[in-house]
Amino acid sequence: MGAPIVLVLSTDESVKPESVIERIRKLPNSEDQIKLSTEPSECIGYGYQIHTKYYDTKVILYAHGSAELATVSNAILKRTEGILIYFDAKDRTFLERLPAYSTFVQQHEIEFGILLCSTLQESSADGITYGEAKSQCTVLDVIELEPNAEDAEEEVAGAGEATGVDELIQAMHNYIWSNVNIHRGNRNTGATDEESPGLLSPNPADDGDNDADAAPITEEEERIIEAELNGFERLLTEVMNFQPNTSNWTRNERLMYAEELAEMFDNLVEEDETIGHT
């Protein structure tokens, strides 16, 4: 099916979706272009590699040339897992578009969606505030790409969370995309797949001849193996149900839960390694 697509569109005529993509990738759009389809016209996407300590993946950022989502082709829509919508926070008419965007996101089960703007307004008299944007569209988060000076200074000083484009990039890295390649092995030691044994994996030094001379499994060893299997099956079920179970959660809640699952995986691997060295 290919890498998941993130739709990028803009309702602000002064800001093209291609410019938003360049800010995310920090690369010129002439690099890593990907042809997505040729019907009804040629569609070009831009590859974006995501690397975290938990997984690696690649998504495709697609600049949709219209603020109207009805014109998105089926070929693009079938692979769409995220949407970024840029708006002018001084234009209050944008609020009228939010119900339609919210409906689109829900109908197509798009779980990663963010409204982007330069800077939100403090008062509704000046434009759109954060509270107004969230109340009109609860299924989309809101990120300022150019936050006020106070927020930016807090980030530089290490006193606050990521802001601006860095906050958007962090959100994309925190989301679990459908094509993620989970890192196996012990992340704390930096072991690779080849260096770190998997759960219940055999000793690589063993061969068929050694199997014949191996001592029978004791009841205690059998109990430990059974406990490991049960633990791994529970973890696997949690991972498989991650998206449906967290569809109504905030981005931070999903991140915390993902970190808990990663910690559970680490604990299982460490227990297996401990048993293997006893």
Side-chain angles (χ1 to χ4, degrees), residues 18-33 46-49 61:
E18 288 84 358
S19 67
V20 176
I21 291 174
E22 282 194 335
R23 295 183 69 176
I24 296 172
R25 299 200 313 155
K26 299 181 180 179
L27 290 172
N29 284 341
S30 58
E31 297 185 20
D32 198 10
Q33 293 188 359
Y46 306 92
Y48 180 58
Q49 191 71 35
L61 302 172

Side-chain angles (χ1 to χ4, degrees), residues 70-118:
T71 58
V72 179
S73 69
N74 287 332
I76 299 296
L77 196 54
K78 287 178 181 178
R79 294 171 55 183
T80 297
E81 293 187 16
I83 184 169
L84 303 175
I85 304 173
Y86 188 91
F87 68 99
D88 179 2
K90 294 182 179 180
D91 180 10
R92 290 189 58 80
T93 62
F94 174 73
L95 294 174
E96 300 172 4
R97 292 179 175 269
L98 286 180
Y101 288 144
S102 178
T103 299
F104 177 88
V105 167
Q106 291 175 305
Q107 285 181 342
H108 296 284
E109 299 181 341
I110 298 174
E111 296 185 6
F112 181 84
I114 298 179
L115 300 174
L116 304 173
C117 67
S118 175

